[in-house]
Every structure is written in structure tokens, then in C-alpha cells.
Amino acid sequence: MRLFLALFLSLSLSLAKDFCIKEVENPYAEVYLSYAFRKSLERAVLESGNRLSCGDGAQEIKPYIELLKETPIAFTPQQRVSAYNLELKVGLTVGEVKKVFSTSVPYSQPTGSVGDLPRRGALQDAFGIIYIDMLEFIKGLEEKR
């Protein structure tokens, strides 16, 4: 049984490809946006059965943020914004292949005392939605090789 497991692991590691994720191109002054995008992308690469490595022969992934837009959708009786719709478009460039992923999620800002937490939660939700498409895109790259 141990021999079978050792053979399986060595075979699966030999079939894994190396991907090198470059720095996120972010035109917005939003550090958490870059962080959340990179973490989601790293998870997608690893879950697709590949490795993160920037050595020789590694395929470069260039992530970029195309759009981050927040639109007010609800107001308090005092005419202050209490809810937003966050629209997010991000893209990946791998060699000659470009793919854009987009989603839109609502979030509320009940009071000013919670700071940036609802917005960060909305970004996490957006990347949770986009993650599935990124994973399929990375798995599709393997088939094209």
C-alpha cells in the first residue's frame, strides 16, 4: 500500500506544472484588493494540481484589475449611503491568452464604526464567486499544453 501511495504521489508531482504569479497590476489605491486577488489566484493554482514556482520553465500569470466600482443603492432617512453594489472586473494574462472575470455583490455599511470590514467582506465574496471561473481557466491551460 505504501509503495502504491509513493508511486501515486511521485506521478502526480511529475505531472504538475509550475506557475509564477507576477505582481497584481492595480490602478486603485486599494492594497487589500491586490492581496485578496493574489490569495485567490494562488489557491486556484494550487487546487488545480499545480505548483507555485518562479524557476526556469514556469508559466507566468500576470493578474490585473480592470474595474472596481461602488454604486450607492440604499440611503438612510438622513440621506447617507447605507448600502453599495460593488462591481469588480479582474483579468489574467498567461502567455498570449487573456481572460477577464467579473461579478457584482451588494454590501451594507450600517454605521461608520465598523470601518472597512463590510467592504473587505464584499471583496472576499466577489473573489469567492470569481474563484470558480479562475480555477476552470487554469485547468483549461493545462489541456492546451
Side-chain angles (χ1 to χ4, degrees):
M1 181 69 176
R2 287 185 180 182
L3 178 62
F4 175 73
L5 185 59
L7 286 172
F8 177 75
L9 287 175
S10 65
L11 180 62
S12 64
L13 288 176
S14 67
L15 295 176
K17 305 295 181 203
D18 291 340
F19 284 97
C20 180
I21 300 174
K22 295 299 183 183
E23 186 175 338
V24 176
E25 291 179 27
N26 186 355
Y28 303 96
E30 191 65 44
V31 177
Y32 189 75
L33 178 62
S34 297
Y35 170 80
F37 187 17
R38 181 165 182 102
K39 288 299 173 192
S40 183
L41 181 56
E42 286 175 354
R43 187 173 140 222
V45 168
L46 293 173
E47 193 170 315
S48 68
N50 295 298
R51 295 181 296 238
L52 293 172
S53 174
C54 289
D56 292 336
Q59 184 82 34
E60 284 188 355
I61 298 177
K62 297 176 185 172
Y64 61 93
I65 296 169
E66 198 169 288
L67 176 71
L68 174 65
K69 182 179 175 184
E70 293 172 290
T71 307
I73 57 174
F75 296 89
T76 65
Q78 294 81 23
Q79 295 301 310
R80 293 193 177 133
V81 178
S82 63
Y84 296 88
N85 193 31
L86 184 128
E87 184 180 348
L88 180 66
K89 285 185 184 179
V90 297
L92 298 175
T93 304
V94 183
E96 298 294 319
V97 181
K98 275 183 119 174
K99 179 75 174 178
V100 175
F101 310 95
S102 65
T103 191
S104 181
V105 294
Y107 74 95
S108 63
Q109 188 79 21
T111 65
S113 64
V114 293
D116 206 24
L117 293 177
R119 189 167 188 262
R120 287 184 177 196
L123 285 170
Q124 287 292 341
D125 291 345
F127 281 113
I129 295 167
I130 290 172
Y131 171 78
I132 297 166
D133 293 331
M134 282 195 302
L135 180 61
E136 290 300 316
F137 174 70
I138 292 169
K139 285 182 177 181
L141 290 173
E142 294 175 20
E143 295 169 2
K144 293 179 183 177
R145 289 187 195 206

